[in-house]
Each structure stands twice: as C-alpha cells, then as structure tokens.
Amino acid sequence: ETGVTQTPRHLVMGMTNKKSLKCEQHLGHNAMYWYKQSAKKPLELMFVYNFKEQTENNSVPSRFSPECPNSSHLFLHLHTLQPEDSALYLCASSQDQGGEQFFGPGTRLTVL
Amino acid sequence: SQQGEEDPQALSIQEGENATMNCSYKTSINNLQWYRQNSGRGLVHLILIRSNEREKHSGRLRVTLDTSKKSSSLLITASRAADTASYFCATGTNNAGNMLTFGGGTRLMVKP
C-alpha cells in the first residue's frame, strides 16, 4: 500500500448535488496533489498544495474547490458538476514538489 | 501539446518477451519518472532518472534517458502476465515549479 487513502472509492451524483472527496496521506509528505483522469486523455493536474499552501491551480473551474486543512489531509469539494466532469480523481503526495509521487487508489466519479 | 508522449499507445506481447516503451518530451527537464497503473487504480512509481543520468535499473526494469534527443525508454525484461498495465512517463521541470507533466501512457498487455 502507498500510504495514501481516498474516500469514497465510487461516487454517483446529480448535477445539483454537493459532495466532497477526501484524501489522507500517512507518509509525512509536504506536497499534495489532485489529478483528473478521463478516458483517453492524459492525467491532468488540477491543484497542488505545498505545506498547506496552494501553489498551483491549473485553470480548474470554480465548481471544484480544494481545501487543505493540514499537510496530511486534502479535500475536493464538488458543486454543480457537469456530466463531462465524470472521471477518476486521483490524489497524490510527495516529500517535495517534483519528487516521486505516491498515489491513492482514486475516486471514480459519475455525474448524472 | 503535452510534454511527455509515450510510444506506442498500445503493446501486446507474449509472456517471457521483453517490452520496450518510449517517451519523448519537448522542454528541458530536471528528472523523468515512470509510473504504472493497473486498470482504474492509482499510479505506482517505478523509477526516477535525473537529467544527468543516462541509465538506471530496478529489478527487471531498465530506463534510459537521452537528453540530446529528449527521449527516454522503459524496458521490461522477461515480461509476466502481471505486468499488464498502463505505463506513464512524467517529466519534472524547474520552470513549472517542479510540477510533473504526464504523458498519455502505453497500454501493455502480456499474454500468458
């Protein structure tokens, strides 16, 4: 196991719902990441937090809202999503930005 | 277009054969990393090679890096059915705050 957990593993939501994805790392890392993986597209970096500070927002729509209360936890709050937001959302952590990243198992999100 | 691009997109071989995957990139890098992903799961880090290194080994894996050609290769020797997965290269650059940029991946199938 990589030491990075994600919940829930599967989520189905309507376009008007509000939900949150949770990521927790037990590795003592300083950087955490959210990625989106859609079918037949490269992994897309969404957000980066380093020492709890957001250092990257890769032009992500405001319907995705990240939160990093401490260096071990990362949330992705979802609101008014679109069907095209259906994807596998992966969380990762690394000791420092640019180093080896450890990934969680992902949350498979389906927006109806 | 994306920084790292893998070639081929898909590869099918028999157990025991060697598998070679290639990655090309466009800008100067700090390091290049290879990751593996089983279907619908998180990515697992395989190996990191720095820009001043030319070759690295880890078990049955051999990675080469040619910075003059901006390319890398991943060789898996004596493949096993359990090696069936998608393989991604990711490049880390100083210019992007050491963020990793992932390629589209190579889907490897090893037939028993």
Side-chain angles (χ1 to χ4, degrees):
Chain A
E1 294 299 316
T2 63
V4 181
T5 58
Q6 288 186 246
T7 54
R9 295 293 307 277
H10 300 272
L11 179 62
V12 179
M13 59 187 288
M15 289 190 284
T16 58
N17 292 158
K18 280 186 180 182
K19 297 286 183 183
S20 296
L21 310 184
K22 179 182 176 182
C23 175
E24 186 173 355
Q25 58 98 358
H26 312 275
L27 302 167
H29 289 167
N30 299 316
M32 295 187 76
Y33 313 79
W34 278 118
Y35 288 91
K36 175 184 178 183
Q37 188 176 36
S38 306
K40 299 182 180 178
K41 290 178 73 174
L43 207 61
E44 299 172 61
L45 178 65
M46 299 176 73
F47 301 104
V48 181
Y49 278 81
N50 199 24
F51 290 98
K52 302 187 298 178
E53 299 296 322
Q54 185 174 309
T55 59
E56 189 83 12
N57 177 339
N58 217 17
S59 303
V60 180
S62 59
R63 57 186 185 268
F64 294 92
S65 174
E67 178 190 359
C68 188
N70 54 61
S71 56
S72 298
H73 294 86
L74 186 63
F75 294 90
L76 188 62
H77 304 299
L78 315 172
H79 176 52
T80 323
L81 294 193
Q82 305 298 312
E84 59 265 29
D85 296 322
S86 299
L88 181 68
Y89 288 84
L90 291 162
C91 173
S93 71
S94 64
Q95 182 60 46
D96 303 293
Q97 283 187 198
E100 171 188 351
Q101 292 186 15
F102 292 77
F103 282 80
T107 294
R108 173 68 62 186
L109 174 67
T110 302
V111 182
L112 301 176
Chain B
S1 60
Q2 62 215 39
Q3 164 75 322
E5 295 189 15
E6 286 90 342
D7 167 58
Q9 291 188 341
L11 180 61
S12 182
I13 60 174
Q14 292 295 135
E15 209 166 25
E17 294 180 340
N18 295 342
T20 300
M21 288 159 270
N22 302 298
C23 171
S24 59
Y25 57 92
K26 293 180 168 52
T27 63
S28 296
I29 61 171
N30 228 354
N31 66 75
L32 187 144
Q33 303 179 33
W34 284 92
Y35 288 80
R36 165 198 166 119
Q37 183 181 33
N38 287 80
S39 181
R41 304 293 300 277
L43 280 70
V44 176
H45 182 266
L46 296 176
I47 200 161
L48 181 154
I49 186 164
R50 302 193 187 283
S51 58
N52 61 353
E53 297 176 307
R54 291 296 167 259
E55 189 170 311
K56 219 165 178 182
H57 298 256
S58 177
R60 293 184 295 113
L61 305 181
R62 173 178 169 251
V63 167
T64 62
L65 178 64
D66 187 335
T67 53
S68 66
K69 295 180 179 177
K70 291 187 169 57
S71 68
S72 173
S73 68
L74 170 66
L75 169 67
I76 304 175
T77 60
S79 64
R80 305 166 181 167
D83 294 328
T84 295
S86 290
Y87 292 83
F88 297 88
C89 71
T91 51
T93 64
N94 279 328
N95 294 339
N98 284 329
M99 292 301 106
L100 291 183
T101 303
F102 284 81
T106 293
R107 293 185 307 280
L108 173 66
M109 174 172 287
V110 181
K111 299 175 184 175

